[in-house]
Amino acid sequence: MYAVLSKMANGITVCYSEVFPDQNQDYFHCKYIGRLFLVADSYCMNPDCTCQEAVLNFVQVYPREDRDDNSFMIRFKLNGRGYKIHERGRFNKREIQGIVMHFTSDGTVLERLNERYKEMKEEVKKILS
């Protein structure tokens, strides 16, 4: 829990799996044109912040390439109205757009991200009380 508190104090987002470890639901999966991505979702733990965003880190795990730049990171608006690219790795803007659109296309991911955001905000209240 110290790591979570340290990140909170420094204004760093905290990965959902750090607060709620469960091997069955730690990460999202995204299959896109023959590639498999694990998607880690992180959230702001400032109880006073109303950012309504998730930081999503997409890591390509298949086909496995021995490269350090096999991931990209975005800040995704939880109302579904856009995102900002923070790190591109070896992915270009159009590629990222296609992957993100595919990942969020059915609506269930957006719903789940919002649920997790609420869970994280509730957990920080418990931690600080």
Side-chain angles (χ1 to χ4, degrees):
M1 197 52 63
Y2 176 75
V4 171
L5 291 172
S6 176
K7 287 181 177 182
M8 285 171 52
N10 291 310
I12 299 171
T13 60
V14 178
C15 191
Y16 182 85
S17 64
E18 286 182 78
V19 177
F20 301 104
D22 177 355
Q23 290 185 357
N24 295 324
Q25 296 185 20
D26 274 358
Y27 303 102
F28 291 94
H29 300 85
C30 175
K31 293 179 184 175
Y32 181 76
I33 308 178
R35 295 186 272 177
L36 176 63
F37 294 87
L38 288 182
V39 184
D41 53 324
S42 300
Y43 304 89
C44 171
M45 294 292 281
N46 179 343
D48 299 324
C49 181
T50 59
C51 63
Q52 296 284 313
E53 295 178 333
V55 173
L56 303 178
N57 187 16
F58 289 74
V59 179
Q60 182 177 327
V61 293
Y62 181 84
R64 186 163 175 84
E65 298 175 7
D66 292 328
R67 302 173 81 165
D68 290 336
D69 56 354
N70 67 339
S71 66
F72 65 90
M73 187 182 306
I74 64 170
R75 183 172 296 273
F76 184 79
K77 294 184 183 294
L78 293 175
N79 63 7
R81 295 189 175 167
Y83 61 89
K84 179 180 179 184
I85 299 170
H86 279 277
E87 294 177 17
R88 278 197 173 138
R90 64 177 171 80
F91 300 89
N92 65 49
K93 190 175 180 177
R94 289 188 74 191
E95 215 173 6
I96 291 171
Q97 181 182 24
I99 295 165
V100 172
M101 284 178 62
H102 180 74
F103 179 64
T104 59
S105 64
D106 69 359
T108 59
V109 168
L110 183 58
E111 183 178 311
R112 189 70 185 119
L113 289 172
N114 274 286
E115 288 171 3
R116 288 176 136 186
Y117 173 83
K118 289 175 188 167
E119 289 175 34
M120 293 288 275
K121 289 296 186 176
E122 289 300 316
E123 192 63 23
V124 76
K125 289 176 187 174
K126 290 177 191 173
I127 291 169
L128 296 176
S129 62

